[in-house]
Amino acid sequence: DLPELTEDDPMAIGLGYKKDTATVDGAVQTKHTAEQSCSSCVLYTSKSDTAGTCTIFAGKQVSATGWCTAYAKKA
Ligand code: SF4
């Protein structure tokens, strides 16, 4: 399995990635809404109930409940 993306990964920090969308600071991330998470993002491919891959974070797995500033809702 691919390693899990951690919040302290330099790229994760750059994109404000959080493993749990509920922990995103709305005062900082003004475009964030509570219903946004990796599982509904167009860049996400589910690999299990809890994690999947993201085209931005190659070689890592992101959390299904995660979020970052590149979030774009799946059509
Ligand atoms: Fe999650 Fe989408 Fe950000 Fe990738 S781009 S980490 S799938 S919110």
Side-chain angles (χ1 to χ4, degrees):
D1 282 358
L2 296 170
E4 183 186 341
L5 178 69
T6 56
E7 293 180 0
D8 62 357
D9 176 285
M11 259 185 78
I13 292 170
L15 288 170
Y17 174 79
K18 296 291 179 193
K19 277 170 65 175
D20 180 354
T21 192
T23 67
V24 175
D25 184 353
V28 178
Q29 307 295 359
T30 54
K31 290 180 179 167
H32 172 264
T33 64
E35 67 274 11
Q36 296 174 349
S37 68
C38 294
S39 60
S40 66
C41 178
V42 70
L43 300 179
Y44 183 76
T45 302
S46 177
K47 298 292 182 190
S48 72
D49 287 349
T50 56
T53 54
C54 167
T55 53
I56 291 179
F57 298 105
K60 300 278 170 68
Q61 288 206 59
V62 297
S63 170
T65 60
W67 185 88
C68 86
T69 56
Y71 176 86
K73 191 172 167 53
K74 220 172 260 184

